[in-house]
Amino acid sequence: MLIGALPDLTETQSGKDLIAIGVQQGKAEGLVEGKSEGKRDSLLMILQVRFGGVPETIHESVMAIGSTEHLGELIQQALQIESISEFRLE
């Protein structure tokens, strides 16, 4: 059984270290998500401008992609195909 109150973690060195680690991880995840979001938006805009619209199934599939590398490959594909029917999400 513990006697007394536990110290506030924000005031201990261990607590400060853990918070700093969490902040750094959050920033890294935010950067990756921001890049993915930007590439998703770019891909959808390219498809919209080139082909006059984006079918809902393609839109939903693009929104579910998390890999910035895959999104980059799809952007390149979108710039090279002649019709939306040629677009492949693989």
Side-chain angles (χ1 to χ4, degrees):
M1 179 174 218
L2 294 173
I3 299 175
L6 294 173
D8 182 355
L9 282 179
T10 61
E11 295 182 16
T12 67
Q13 187 59 49
S14 295
K16 290 176 184 178
D17 291 345
L18 288 171
I19 291 168
I21 290 168
V23 168
Q24 288 300 95
Q25 288 177 341
K27 286 180 181 178
E29 289 173 12
L31 286 173
V32 169
E33 181 57 33
K35 287 181 183 179
S36 293
E37 185 176 327
K39 285 192 174 191
R40 274 188 222 105
D41 291 345
S42 295
L43 175 56
L44 292 170
M45 184 184 303
I46 290 166
L47 293 171
Q48 173 68 36
V49 169
R50 291 205 63 221
F51 307 112
V54 181
E56 188 62 28
T57 55
I58 291 177
H59 185 273
E60 289 174 3
S61 295
V62 167
M63 295 306 291
I65 298 171
S67 166
T68 56
E69 182 178 305
H70 188 203
L71 288 164
E73 292 166 358
L74 292 174
I75 288 171
Q76 290 179 21
Q77 179 191 159
L79 292 168
Q80 296 172 357
I81 58 177
E82 297 297 322
S83 72
I84 193 75
S85 64
E86 294 177 41
F87 188 68
R88 300 289 178 257
L89 289 161
E90 301 96 34

